[in-house]
Amino acid sequence: MFVGQAGVCADHPFTPSRQDADELLFCGGDYHIDIFAKIVGRRRPQKLKALKFTIDARQAGVLIQILDAELFLYWNSESENYESELRKDHEVFPLEPPKFPSWFDHSGHAD
Protein backbone atom coordinates (compact mmCIF):
# COMPACT_ATOMS: atom_id res chain seq x y z
CA MET A 1 0.00 0.00 0.00
CA PHE A 2 1.30 3.45 -0.85
CA VAL A 3 1.03 6.08 1.88
CA GLY A 4 1.60 9.64 0.72
CA GLN A 5 2.57 12.75 2.72
CA ALA A 6 -1.01 13.22 3.96
CA GLY A 7 -1.01 9.75 5.53
CA VAL A 8 -3.85 7.25 5.78
CA CYS A 9 -6.69 7.09 8.29
CA ALA A 10 -8.76 3.93 8.58
CA ASP A 11 -10.61 1.73 11.03
CA HIS A 12 -9.63 -1.90 10.99
CA PRO A 13 -11.51 -4.83 12.44
CA PHE A 14 -9.41 -7.59 13.94
CA THR A 15 -11.40 -10.64 12.98
CA PRO A 16 -10.23 -14.21 12.80
CA SER A 17 -10.65 -16.19 9.60
CA ARG A 18 -13.69 -18.46 9.63
CA GLN A 19 -11.52 -21.55 10.07
CA ASP A 20 -9.86 -20.06 13.17
CA ALA A 21 -12.99 -18.53 14.71
CA ASP A 22 -13.77 -21.57 16.87
CA GLU A 23 -10.22 -21.63 18.24
CA LEU A 24 -9.96 -17.94 19.15
CA LEU A 25 -11.34 -17.31 22.63
CA PHE A 26 -11.04 -13.89 24.22
CA CYS A 27 -10.32 -14.31 27.91
CA GLY A 28 -10.61 -11.50 30.43
CA GLY A 29 -7.37 -9.61 30.91
CA ASP A 30 -4.97 -7.12 29.38
CA TYR A 31 -4.18 -7.25 25.67
CA HIS A 32 -1.27 -5.70 23.77
CA ILE A 33 -1.18 -5.25 19.99
CA ASP A 34 1.91 -4.03 18.17
CA ILE A 35 1.41 -2.68 14.65
CA PHE A 36 4.30 -2.90 12.21
CA ALA A 37 4.88 -1.75 8.63
CA LYS A 38 7.47 -2.84 6.12
CA ILE A 39 8.89 0.28 4.56
CA VAL A 40 10.29 0.05 1.04
CA GLY A 41 14.07 0.14 1.08
CA ARG A 42 14.42 -0.87 4.73
CA ARG A 43 15.47 -4.32 5.86
CA ARG A 44 13.27 -4.65 8.94
CA PRO A 45 9.65 -3.74 9.67
CA GLN A 46 9.14 -0.58 11.71
CA LYS A 47 6.88 -0.53 14.76
CA LEU A 48 4.20 2.11 14.21
CA LYS A 49 2.01 1.81 17.27
CA ALA A 50 1.53 -0.18 20.46
CA LEU A 51 -2.07 -0.58 21.66
CA LYS A 52 -3.16 -1.73 25.09
CA PHE A 53 -6.69 -2.53 26.20
CA THR A 54 -8.55 -4.67 28.70
CA ILE A 55 -11.35 -7.17 28.23
CA ASP A 56 -13.20 -7.68 31.49
CA ALA A 57 -14.61 -11.06 32.57
CA ARG A 58 -18.21 -10.20 31.60
CA GLN A 59 -17.18 -9.07 28.13
CA ALA A 60 -15.09 -12.23 27.67
CA GLY A 61 -18.10 -14.35 28.65
CA VAL A 62 -20.28 -12.67 26.04
CA LEU A 63 -17.61 -12.99 23.33
CA ILE A 64 -17.22 -16.72 24.06
CA GLN A 65 -20.95 -17.49 24.19
CA ILE A 66 -22.31 -15.19 21.48
CA LEU A 67 -20.19 -15.69 18.38
CA ASP A 68 -21.54 -12.68 16.47
CA ALA A 69 -20.90 -10.24 19.33
CA GLU A 70 -18.16 -7.73 18.52
CA LEU A 71 -15.82 -5.74 20.76
CA PHE A 72 -15.26 -2.13 19.71
CA LEU A 73 -12.39 -0.05 21.09
CA TYR A 74 -12.59 3.73 21.39
CA TRP A 75 -9.75 6.06 22.32
CA ASN A 76 -10.51 8.21 25.37
CA SER A 77 -8.21 11.21 25.12
CA GLU A 78 -8.87 12.29 28.72
CA SER A 79 -7.83 9.00 30.31
CA GLU A 80 -5.41 8.22 27.43
CA ASN A 81 -6.74 4.65 27.27
CA TYR A 82 -8.89 2.56 25.01
CA GLU A 83 -12.39 1.90 26.28
CA SER A 84 -14.33 -1.08 25.03
CA GLU A 85 -17.94 -1.64 24.10
CA LEU A 86 -19.72 -4.81 23.03
CA ARG A 87 -22.00 -4.67 20.01
CA LYS A 88 -24.26 -7.08 18.24
CA ASP A 89 -25.92 -6.25 14.93
CA HIS A 90 -24.32 -2.76 15.11
CA GLU A 91 -26.11 -1.91 18.38
CA VAL A 92 -24.63 -1.63 21.85
CA PHE A 93 -24.97 -5.01 23.52
CA PRO A 94 -26.38 -4.74 27.05
CA LEU A 95 -24.48 -6.71 29.65
CA GLU A 96 -27.14 -6.27 32.29
CA PRO A 97 -30.94 -6.16 32.07
CA PRO A 98 -32.40 -2.65 32.12
CA LYS A 99 -32.98 -1.21 35.57
CA PHE A 100 -36.52 -0.23 36.42
CA PRO A 101 -37.41 2.67 38.72
CA SER A 102 -38.28 1.60 42.28
CA TRP A 103 -41.92 2.61 41.77
CA PHE A 104 -42.30 0.26 38.77
CA ASP A 105 -43.94 -3.12 39.38
CA HIS A 106 -41.94 -5.76 37.46
CA SER A 107 -45.16 -7.52 36.48
CA GLY A 108 -45.74 -4.69 34.02
CA HIS A 109 -48.10 -2.50 36.07
CA ALA A 110 -47.20 0.87 37.56
CA ASP A 111 -48.04 1.40 41.26
Side-chain angles (χ1 to χ4, degrees):
M1 166 176 28
F2 172 77
V3 178
Q5 292 290 333
V8 173
C9 180
D11 290 332
H12 180 74
F14 292 95
T15 54
S17 64
R18 291 199 185 275
Q19 65 193 35
D20 296 333
D22 293 336
E23 297 174 15
L24 182 63
L25 299 177
F26 289 99
C27 298
D30 296 329
Y31 285 79
H32 305 268
I33 297 175
D34 292 330
I35 300 172
F36 289 85
K38 176 76 168 92
I39 299 175
V40 176
R42 294 192 184 168
R43 291 182 151 252
R44 297 188 176 148
Q46 180 177 347
K47 185 175 179 177
L48 301 177
K49 184 86 174 161
L51 307 174
K52 297 177 184 179
F53 61 95
T54 300
I55 297 178
D56 66 36
R58 291 185 309 155
Q59 291 171 326
V62 169
L63 291 169
I64 289 170
Q65 295 176 41
I66 302 173
L67 298 179
D68 58 345
E70 302 170 310
L71 184 74
F72 283 74
L73 301 173
Y74 299 98
W75 180 252
N76 182 328
S77 59
E78 291 179 11
S79 66
E80 296 185 356
N81 286 310
Y82 281 94
E83 295 180 1
S84 56
E85 175 179 274
L86 284 172
R87 290 185 173 218
K88 185 175 181 316
D89 300 326
H90 304 289
E91 292 187 19
V92 175
F93 190 85
L95 289 177
E96 297 177 6
K99 294 187 172 40
F100 294 98
S102 59
W103 51 265
F104 189 80
D105 176 10
H106 295 278
S107 65
H109 306 300
D111 288 339

